[in-house]
Amino acid sequence: MIKLSERVSAIAPSMTLAISAKANELKAAGERVINFGVGEPDFNTPAHIVQAAKDALDAGYTKYVAAAGLPKLKKAIVKKLKIDNNLEYDPSQIIVSNGAKHSIFNAIFATINPGDEVLIPKPYWLTYPEVVKSCGGVPVYVMATARHGYKVTAAQIENMITPRTKMLIFNSPCNPTGAVYTEEEIRAIAEVCEEYDLTVLSDEIYEKLIYGGETHFSIANCSAKMKENTIVINGVSKSYAMTGWRLGYLACSEKLAKAISSFQSHSTSNVNTMTQYAAIAALQGDSEPMSDMLKAFGKRRELMLEKLDAMRPLGLDYVKPDGAFYVMLLCDNLYGKYYDGKKIHGSMDVADMLLTYKKVAATPGVCFGDDDAVRLSYALSEEDMCTGLDAIAEFAKECTAKP
């Protein structure tokens, strides 16, 4: 009998699988399901990006290239980091990988030893702790409460640091909360990280999806030391509607980049070549389609928040998100109540009942370490969004104090 390794056995199965499986069953049976669980833009990849991939295929660019990425793409990333983030890097400090998730794995694998502690603000993107565990690290959670806008403070981080603490995973704009940290808040956190010589993995994949006048500020921009200790993660999935293309990248110190490049050369080698040419077109080409996408998300966000405001008398609440395309809908006031004779204990019950009775798919907050809420995405049409939100309001109205 084949025995599983301790590494893979430590990884928790996705708690969203049951909800996703049920949603797919309903769809297969012909039911209309409103899906608030999507974590990708519902826009097509812009035509000029698609054309660049076709041109690469026609030109015969289908061979192996350097494991760390095409030189031309790495130069485009360097230029992007300078223009958008005021960060100076050399192409030798850039690694192109199979999506930002792959970049995150490479970064953690290359820096975390067994027993090292990694601080993760909570609620968190559900992959962070699983990658840490798979690399032998120990996730340590720093609670970001709804009451404080789903943001952790420098003092909270400092209070969680032990002699075993090696890294802070920092995500702004944040998935799942949509929280965007201000420059002042980030600089305060950076001071703590510098004092304790922590590595920071800064996941900036949602940096271009920010609303309401807020701006993105990279923690690597705080000081020369902070830049040296930061691994910047980004990619083309969210900003350019290229989720299925699978291309992410990281920027870090040259020593670390060399180590990650060596590892990647033995694990996956290069990202598929035509996608890299498409990414060059994304970074260098017309930005108008993406500007239109951002405006559409902004409009949906305002519409969703307007409808959620009307649900507050029903016991539902939320924290206004400034980035990404998610809202955490606080539903803990429904816990202890009943729907169709069944008691509601937590976010999994809410998600399951919404799908069963209202044909609405939402992601239970317990997946992100916060059982007080469900995550709603506004990466869906306005019509579907309004229909789904009305169904959620109906569900809340129909909950009863007794079975």
Side-chain angles (χ1 to χ4, degrees):
M1 179 184 293
I2 295 176
K3 294 183 179 180
L4 299 178
S5 69
E6 292 181 4
R7 291 186 302 276
V8 77
S9 298
I11 300 174
S14 173
M15 288 183 283
T16 63
L17 287 180
I19 298 292
S20 297
K22 182 180 280 191
N24 289 333
E25 286 176 11
L26 289 170
K27 288 179 182 178
E31 297 276 6
R32 182 192 179 197
V33 176
I34 305 297
N35 190 3
F36 285 106
V38 289
E40 61 180 346
D42 58 320
F43 295 85
N44 291 328
T45 304
H48 71 281
I49 298 175
V50 175
Q51 188 61 50
K54 292 178 180 178
D55 291 344
L57 289 169
D58 290 340
Y61 296 148
T62 58
K63 308 298 183 184
Y64 290 131
V65 295
L70 284 168
K72 186 175 180 181
L73 175 56
K74 293 171 75 172
K75 288 179 181 178
I77 292 168
V78 166
K79 185 176 180 180
K80 176 261 177 249
L81 290 167
K82 174 60 179 174
I83 293 172
D84 291 352
N85 310 109
N86 196 31
L87 291 170
E88 297 268 6
Y89 288 100
D90 186 82
S92 63
Q93 296 175 272
I94 307 298
I95 305 293
V96 179
S97 302
N98 293 280
K101 186 182 291 187
H102 185 206
S103 296
I104 289 167
F105 178 85
N106 282 347
I108 294 174
F109 184 85
T111 56
I112 296 301
N113 289 312
D116 286 345
E117 292 179 351
V118 178
L119 301 180
I120 304 175
K122 180 179 179 179
Y124 47 75
W125 180 47
L126 53 85
T127 292
Y128 294 145
E130 304 312 321
V131 173
V132 170
K133 288 187 287 185
S134 72
C135 294
V138 180
V140 176
Y141 304 110
V142 187
M143 193 66 206
T145 63
R147 179 180 162 191
H148 292 104
Y150 285 126
K151 296 181 185 181
V152 297
T153 65
Q156 281 182 283
I157 291 170
E158 187 168 22
N159 287 339
M160 300 299 291
I161 294 174
T162 74
R164 295 169 61 190
T165 306
K166 179 74 174 289
M167 173 184 281
L168 166 70
I169 295 180
F170 187 69
N171 178 213
S172 176
C174 176
N175 174 14
T177 67
V180 177
Y181 287 75
T182 66
E183 180 177 341
E184 182 181 6
E185 291 165 337
I186 291 171
R187 287 191 179 278
I189 290 170
E191 286 182 11
V192 171
C193 294
E194 286 186 31
E195 181 179 349
Y196 292 90
D197 200 30
L198 298 186
T199 299
V200 175
L201 188 152
S202 183
D203 183 354
E204 303 179 13
I205 192 69
Y206 290 96
E207 68 160 337
K208 292 187 180 293
L209 299 174
I210 296 181
Y211 320 95
E214 298 296 325
T215 56
H216 173 71
F217 180 78
S218 176
I219 195 169
N221 218 355
C222 288
S223 68
K225 180 178 180 181
M226 197 68 256
K227 179 170 175 277
E228 180 71 15
N229 286 354
T230 297
I231 307 166
V232 175
I233 305 289
N234 213 319
V236 296
S237 294
K238 314 299 183 181
S239 298
Y240 299 96
M242 295 178 67
T243 51
W245 296 75
R246 307 313 305 135
L247 188 142
Y249 57 86
L250 61 80
C252 61
S253 68
E254 191 161 359
K255 178 181 178 181
L256 177 57
K258 184 176 181 180
I260 292 174
S261 178
S262 295
F263 171 61
Q264 184 163 297
S265 72
H266 292 296
S267 56
T268 62
S269 295
N270 61 275
V271 175
N272 77 80
T273 310
M274 63 290 305
T275 286
Q276 295 196 53
Y277 281 98
I280 293 169
L283 293 171
Q284 295 182 340
D286 182 12
S287 63
E288 185 175 348
M290 297 300 91
S291 177
D292 291 342
M293 182 179 77
L294 180 61
K295 290 176 183 176
F297 278 140
K299 184 180 177 184
R300 293 178 192 173
R301 169 179 168 271
E302 291 301 320
L303 180 57
M304 176 175 275
L305 299 188
E306 181 181 325
K307 292 187 76 69
L308 292 181
D309 282 337
M311 295 187 199
R312 284 189 163 125
L314 303 175
L316 301 174
D317 204 351
Y318 70 94
V319 175
K320 186 177 182 180
D322 291 317
F325 37 70
Y326 309 109
V327 178
M328 289 291 273
L329 179 64
L330 293 159
C331 53
D332 52 316
N333 284 332
L334 301 181
Y335 301 171
K337 293 185 176 182
Y338 295 81
Y339 191 91
D340 194 32
K342 299 173 183 176
K343 191 172 185 179
I344 302 172
H345 296 93
S347 62
M348 281 294 290
D349 289 336
V350 171
D352 184 62
M353 290 177 182
L354 282 174
L355 186 57
T356 301
Y357 296 103
K358 299 299 181 182
K359 306 302 184 288
V360 170
T363 309
V366 67
C367 300
F368 311 112
D370 183 2
D371 199 29
D372 289 344
V374 294
R375 191 192 72 175
L376 304 179
S377 167
Y378 44 94
L380 70 171
S381 71
E382 290 184 22
E383 180 184 359
D384 281 355
M385 185 173 70
C386 290
T387 300
L389 291 173
D390 288 343
I392 292 173
E394 288 176 6
F395 171 80
K397 286 179 185 177
E398 293 164 2
C399 289
T400 59
K402 297 180 180 180

